[in-house]
Amino acid sequence: MMRGMGNMQSMMKQMKKMQAQMAAEQEALNAQQFEGVAPDEMVKVTFSGDKKMQDITIDPKAVDPDDVDMLQDLVLAAVNDALTKVDDQTQSTMGKYTKGLK
């Protein structure tokens, strides 16, 4: 009966170690910067790994008072590009912990 308890304690230690590794990797991911760009690089945005926008740069050529829709489309494209990069890196970094889980 004691042998089973030893295995349980070992499993708990491994679980705590894995949780600490996951937390460290998530923290490192959150500290990373991801840049998204619109076509022709007229709009650039920077996000942190926890999907918080840090910066936006708009080329003055993208600002046309008669075509606000174009600027809106460029901002959307840049934001979506950055968020896709965050998601891809998150899956690459953290996916090993969820592989096989549904």
PDB file of all heavy atoms in Angstrom, residues 1 3 7 17-18 23 26 45 47 52 57 59 64 91 93 99 102:
ATOM      1  N   MET A   1       0.818  -1.192   0.000  1.00  0.00           N
ATOM      2  CA  MET A   1       0.000   0.000   0.000  1.00  0.00           C
ATOM      3  C   MET A   1       0.870   1.268   0.000  1.00  0.00           C
ATOM      4  O   MET A   1       0.532   2.226  -0.628  1.00  0.00           O
ATOM      5  CB  MET A   1      -0.915  -0.034   1.224  1.00  0.00           C
ATOM      6  CG  MET A   1      -1.958   1.046   1.193  1.00  0.00           C
ATOM      7  SD  MET A   1      -3.166   0.656  -0.074  1.00  0.00           S
ATOM      8  CE  MET A   1      -4.634   1.032   0.753  1.00  0.00           C
ATOM      9  N   ARG A   3       3.713   1.640  -1.387  1.00  0.00           N
ATOM     10  CA  ARG A   3       4.321   1.816  -2.699  1.00  0.00           C
ATOM     11  C   ARG A   3       3.441   2.723  -3.574  1.00  0.00           C
ATOM     12  O   ARG A   3       3.916   3.577  -4.297  1.00  0.00           O
ATOM     13  CB  ARG A   3       4.513   0.463  -3.355  1.00  0.00           C
ATOM     14  CG  ARG A   3       5.110   0.544  -4.723  1.00  0.00           C
ATOM     15  CD  ARG A   3       5.333  -0.816  -5.283  1.00  0.00           C
ATOM     16  NE  ARG A   3       6.761  -1.065  -5.217  1.00  0.00           N
ATOM     17  CZ  ARG A   3       7.328  -2.166  -5.600  1.00  0.00           C
ATOM     18  NH1 ARG A   3       6.604  -3.172  -6.021  1.00  0.00           N
ATOM     19  NH2 ARG A   3       8.625  -2.308  -5.536  1.00  0.00           N
ATOM     20  N   ASN A   7       4.273   6.510  -5.470  1.00  0.00           N
ATOM     21  CA  ASN A   7       3.995   6.867  -6.858  1.00  0.00           C
ATOM     22  C   ASN A   7       3.141   8.123  -6.940  1.00  0.00           C
ATOM     23  O   ASN A   7       3.353   8.967  -7.802  1.00  0.00           O
ATOM     24  CB  ASN A   7       3.287   5.716  -7.590  1.00  0.00           C
ATOM     25  CG  ASN A   7       4.238   4.604  -7.976  1.00  0.00           C
ATOM     26  OD1 ASN A   7       5.451   4.799  -8.022  1.00  0.00           O
ATOM     27  ND2 ASN A   7       3.691   3.433  -8.233  1.00  0.00           N
ATOM     28  N   LYS A  17       6.091  20.500 -10.978  1.00  0.00           N
ATOM     29  CA  LYS A  17       7.205  20.929 -11.821  1.00  0.00           C
ATOM     30  C   LYS A  17       6.692  21.371 -13.189  1.00  0.00           C
ATOM     31  O   LYS A  17       7.098  22.405 -13.711  1.00  0.00           O
ATOM     32  CB  LYS A  17       8.213  19.780 -11.974  1.00  0.00           C
ATOM     33  CG  LYS A  17       9.432  20.142 -12.790  1.00  0.00           C
ATOM     34  CD  LYS A  17      10.406  18.979 -12.883  1.00  0.00           C
ATOM     35  CE  LYS A  17      11.584  19.335 -13.772  1.00  0.00           C
ATOM     36  NZ  LYS A  17      12.502  18.209 -13.933  1.00  0.00           N
ATOM     37  N   MET A  18       5.762  20.614 -13.758  1.00  0.00           N
ATOM     38  CA  MET A  18       5.197  20.963 -15.056  1.00  0.00           C
ATOM     39  C   MET A  18       4.414  22.276 -14.966  1.00  0.00           C
ATOM     40  O   MET A  18       4.508  23.122 -15.849  1.00  0.00           O
ATOM     41  CB  MET A  18       4.293  19.846 -15.564  1.00  0.00           C
ATOM     42  CG  MET A  18       3.839  20.064 -16.994  1.00  0.00           C
ATOM     43  SD  MET A  18       2.997  18.638 -17.687  1.00  0.00           S
ATOM     44  CE  MET A  18       1.346  18.907 -17.054  1.00  0.00           C
ATOM     45  N   ALA A  23       4.025  28.018 -16.288  1.00  0.00           N
ATOM     46  CA  ALA A  23       3.920  29.407 -15.840  1.00  0.00           C
ATOM     47  C   ALA A  23       5.107  30.227 -16.332  1.00  0.00           C
ATOM     48  O   ALA A  23       4.936  31.362 -16.802  1.00  0.00           O
ATOM     49  CB  ALA A  23       3.824  29.468 -14.314  1.00  0.00           C
ATOM     50  N   GLN A  26       4.710  30.749 -20.088  1.00  0.00           N
ATOM     51  CA  GLN A  26       3.644  31.716 -20.354  1.00  0.00           C
ATOM     52  C   GLN A  26       4.131  33.128 -20.061  1.00  0.00           C
ATOM     53  O   GLN A  26       3.859  34.055 -20.819  1.00  0.00           O
ATOM     54  CB  GLN A  26       2.391  31.405 -19.525  1.00  0.00           C
ATOM     55  CG  GLN A  26       1.210  32.305 -19.844  1.00  0.00           C
ATOM     56  CD  GLN A  26       0.661  32.083 -21.238  1.00  0.00           C
ATOM     57  OE1 GLN A  26       0.319  30.982 -21.592  1.00  0.00           O
ATOM     58  NE2 GLN A  26       0.589  33.131 -22.033  1.00  0.00           N
ATOM     59  N   VAL A  45       1.433  47.467 -36.117  1.00  0.00           N
ATOM     60  CA  VAL A  45       1.007  47.406 -34.718  1.00  0.00           C
ATOM     61  C   VAL A  45       1.927  46.438 -33.981  1.00  0.00           C
ATOM     62  O   VAL A  45       2.476  45.515 -34.567  1.00  0.00           O
ATOM     63  CB  VAL A  45      -0.463  46.949 -34.574  1.00  0.00           C
ATOM     64  CG1 VAL A  45      -1.405  47.964 -35.182  1.00  0.00           C
ATOM     65  CG2 VAL A  45      -0.691  45.588 -35.174  1.00  0.00           C
ATOM     66  N   PHE A  47       2.012  44.031 -30.469  1.00  0.00           N
ATOM     67  CA  PHE A  47       1.266  43.430 -29.372  1.00  0.00           C
ATOM     68  C   PHE A  47       2.232  42.673 -28.475  1.00  0.00           C
ATOM     69  O   PHE A  47       3.247  42.165 -28.925  1.00  0.00           O
ATOM     70  CB  PHE A  47       0.237  42.413 -29.902  1.00  0.00           C
ATOM     71  CG  PHE A  47      -1.055  43.026 -30.347  1.00  0.00           C
ATOM     72  CD1 PHE A  47      -1.175  43.585 -31.606  1.00  0.00           C
ATOM     73  CD2 PHE A  47      -2.158  43.028 -29.516  1.00  0.00           C
ATOM     74  CE1 PHE A  47      -2.370  44.135 -32.036  1.00  0.00           C
ATOM     75  CE2 PHE A  47      -3.356  43.576 -29.928  1.00  0.00           C
ATOM     76  CZ  PHE A  47      -3.469  44.139 -31.196  1.00  0.00           C
ATOM     77  N   LYS A  52      -2.059  42.365 -25.740  1.00  0.00           N
ATOM     78  CA  LYS A  52      -2.299  43.765 -25.423  1.00  0.00           C
ATOM     79  C   LYS A  52      -1.533  44.615 -26.445  1.00  0.00           C
ATOM     80  O   LYS A  52      -0.331  44.430 -26.631  1.00  0.00           O
ATOM     81  CB  LYS A  52      -1.831  44.080 -24.010  1.00  0.00           C
ATOM     82  CG  LYS A  52      -2.527  43.242 -22.955  1.00  0.00           C
ATOM     83  CD  LYS A  52      -2.922  44.051 -21.779  1.00  0.00           C
ATOM     84  CE  LYS A  52      -3.622  43.340 -20.674  1.00  0.00           C
ATOM     85  NZ  LYS A  52      -4.180  42.065 -20.828  1.00  0.00           N
ATOM     86  N   THR A  57       1.657  52.369 -35.557  1.00  0.00           N
ATOM     87  CA  THR A  57       2.300  53.361 -36.410  1.00  0.00           C
ATOM     88  C   THR A  57       1.533  53.406 -37.723  1.00  0.00           C
ATOM     89  O   THR A  57       1.330  52.371 -38.364  1.00  0.00           O
ATOM     90  CB  THR A  57       3.771  52.976 -36.688  1.00  0.00           C
ATOM     91  OG1 THR A  57       4.447  52.808 -35.451  1.00  0.00           O
ATOM     92  CG2 THR A  57       4.469  54.032 -37.517  1.00  0.00           C
ATOM     93  N   ASP A  59       1.471  55.204 -41.436  1.00  0.00           N
ATOM     94  CA  ASP A  59       2.161  56.011 -42.446  1.00  0.00           C
ATOM     95  C   ASP A  59       1.225  57.148 -42.863  1.00  0.00           C
ATOM     96  O   ASP A  59       0.054  56.900 -43.172  1.00  0.00           O
ATOM     97  CB  ASP A  59       2.499  55.119 -43.648  1.00  0.00           C
ATOM     98  CG  ASP A  59       3.360  55.821 -44.676  1.00  0.00           C
ATOM     99  OD1 ASP A  59       3.059  56.987 -45.020  1.00  0.00           O
ATOM    100  OD2 ASP A  59       4.316  55.198 -45.165  1.00  0.00           O
ATOM    101  N   ASP A  64      -6.160  59.380 -45.726  1.00  0.00           N
ATOM    102  CA  ASP A  64      -6.859  60.097 -46.793  1.00  0.00           C
ATOM    103  C   ASP A  64      -8.264  60.386 -46.273  1.00  0.00           C
ATOM    104  O   ASP A  64      -9.071  59.467 -46.126  1.00  0.00           O
ATOM    105  CB  ASP A  64      -6.914  59.238 -48.055  1.00  0.00           C
ATOM    106  CG  ASP A  64      -7.634  59.911 -49.210  1.00  0.00           C
ATOM    107  OD1 ASP A  64      -8.215  61.000 -49.005  1.00  0.00           O
ATOM    108  OD2 ASP A  64      -7.625  59.345 -50.315  1.00  0.00           O
ATOM    109  N   GLN A  91       0.639  28.628 -29.552  1.00  0.00           N
ATOM    110  CA  GLN A  91       0.423  27.211 -29.859  1.00  0.00           C
ATOM    111  C   GLN A  91       1.762  26.470 -29.900  1.00  0.00           C
ATOM    112  O   GLN A  91       1.885  25.372 -29.386  1.00  0.00           O
ATOM    113  CB  GLN A  91      -0.314  27.043 -31.187  1.00  0.00           C
ATOM    114  CG  GLN A  91      -0.567  25.608 -31.574  1.00  0.00           C
ATOM    115  CD  GLN A  91      -1.398  24.840 -30.560  1.00  0.00           C
ATOM    116  OE1 GLN A  91      -2.308  25.375 -29.944  1.00  0.00           O
ATOM    117  NE2 GLN A  91      -1.080  23.588 -30.354  1.00  0.00           N
ATOM    118  N   THR A  93       4.541  27.270 -28.334  1.00  0.00           N
ATOM    119  CA  THR A  93       5.152  27.218 -27.009  1.00  0.00           C
ATOM    120  C   THR A  93       4.347  26.393 -26.018  1.00  0.00           C
ATOM    121  O   THR A  93       4.890  25.545 -25.311  1.00  0.00           O
ATOM    122  CB  THR A  93       5.309  28.655 -26.441  1.00  0.00           C
ATOM    123  OG1 THR A  93       6.099  29.415 -27.342  1.00  0.00           O
ATOM    124  CG2 THR A  93       5.961  28.630 -25.072  1.00  0.00           C
ATOM    125  N   LYS A  99      -1.377  18.925 -25.854  1.00  0.00           N
ATOM    126  CA  LYS A  99      -1.429  17.945 -26.921  1.00  0.00           C
ATOM    127  C   LYS A  99      -2.187  16.702 -26.454  1.00  0.00           C
ATOM    128  O   LYS A  99      -1.903  16.148 -25.407  1.00  0.00           O
ATOM    129  CB  LYS A  99      -0.015  17.553 -27.351  1.00  0.00           C
ATOM    130  CG  LYS A  99       0.032  16.723 -28.623  1.00  0.00           C
ATOM    131  CD  LYS A  99       1.465  16.459 -29.016  1.00  0.00           C
ATOM    132  CE  LYS A  99       1.820  17.469 -30.091  1.00  0.00           C
ATOM    133  NZ  LYS A  99       3.137  17.281 -30.640  1.00  0.00           N
ATOM    134  N   LYS A 102      -8.750  17.179 -25.180  1.00  0.00           N
ATOM    135  CA  LYS A 102      -9.884  17.758 -25.924  1.00  0.00           C
ATOM    136  C   LYS A 102     -10.858  18.373 -24.966  1.00  0.00           C
ATOM    137  O   LYS A 102     -10.958  18.054 -23.851  1.00  0.00           O
ATOM    138  CB  LYS A 102     -10.579  16.684 -26.743  1.00  0.00           C
ATOM    139  CG  LYS A 102      -9.724  16.221 -27.887  1.00  0.00           C
ATOM    140  CD  LYS A 102     -10.503  15.276 -28.773  1.00  0.00           C
ATOM    141  CE  LYS A 102      -9.621  14.856 -29.928  1.00  0.00           C
ATOM    142  NZ  LYS A 102     -10.315  14.119 -30.912  1.00  0.00           N
TER     143      LYS A 102
END
